[in-house]
Amino acid sequence: MTTIFVNGTFDLLHRGHLELLNYAKHLGEDLLREPLGVSNYVVVGIDTDDRVRQMKGPSRPIYNQNDRKFFLKNLKSVDDVRFFSNDEELEGLVKSIKPDIMIVGSDWKDKSVIGSYYASELIFFDRIGDYATTKTVQSIIDRG
């Protein structure tokens, strides 16, 4: 079994989040060789509420970290969810998991990816469409 690590805020789940998590769960799966039901073990690191407020402002997160963890843990594509509150904790989390593969958004290409040197492989995932939690939140505000 391959251990896959992804991280983010995962505040308001949208299609882009689900596409990423489904991709992680089934990455490299060869149904002709693998017995049915065998898939990757996906660990999701999520920012704590304090970290989200620091990064995105006082009106975020929309859902608290325990609710976000609950939502993620109830997806078929997620096996474990862990919190981190700063860069050092994120690095320690990746170091402790030692994932075979770490997946990050393609917007991190040419940037330093925290903890990536503890993963055997780093894969960049292209954004799906125009999905973004910040855009969704702004759209709701604009509707008044």
Side-chain angles (χ1 to χ4, degrees):
M1 186 172 301
T2 301
T3 301
I4 311 280
F5 180 79
V6 301
N7 69 280
T9 302
F10 295 96
D11 194 1
L12 286 177
L13 291 180
H14 54 68
R15 182 176 178 163
H17 290 135
L18 299 178
E19 295 276 5
L20 166 64
L21 296 170
N22 287 333
Y23 172 79
K25 188 67 172 179
H26 300 288
L27 179 66
E29 195 172 89
D30 181 350
L31 296 178
L32 298 176
R33 288 190 354 222
E34 297 283 336
L36 290 178
V38 173
S39 57
N40 299 324
Y41 187 83
V42 177
V43 180
V44 179
I46 59 172
D47 301 286
T48 60
D49 293 344
D50 287 339
R51 182 170 168 99
V52 174
R53 277 189 284 281
Q54 290 170 1
M55 294 185 315
K56 299 183 183 284
S59 64
R60 299 279 301 276
I62 302 300
Y63 289 105
N64 70 56
Q65 63 194 39
N66 292 320
D67 286 346
R68 291 182 284 131
K69 179 178 182 176
F70 177 82
F71 297 149
L72 289 167
K73 284 284 292 179
N74 279 280
L75 297 175
K76 292 178 185 178
S77 56
V78 175
D79 297 294
D80 192 13
V81 179
R82 313 262 185 97
F83 299 119
F84 63 93
S85 59
N86 55 50
D87 290 354
E88 293 78 21
E89 285 185 14
L90 174 56
E91 183 173 342
L93 182 58
V94 179
K95 183 178 181 180
S96 70
I97 294 168
K98 295 180 182 68
D100 298 296
I101 301 170
M102 183 175 187
I103 303 173
V104 298
S106 59
D107 51 328
W108 284 94
K109 284 182 181 175
D110 303 320
K111 296 179 186 174
S112 177
V113 177
I114 296 169
S116 62
Y117 34 86
Y118 295 113
S120 300
E121 183 179 356
L122 179 63
I123 293 178
F124 295 98
F125 184 79
D126 290 329
R127 182 178 289 271
I128 302 293
D130 203 19
Y131 295 100
T133 299
T134 301
K135 283 186 175 189
T136 302
V137 170
Q138 190 59 52
S139 172
I140 293 168
I141 291 169
D142 291 346
R143 293 175 195 180

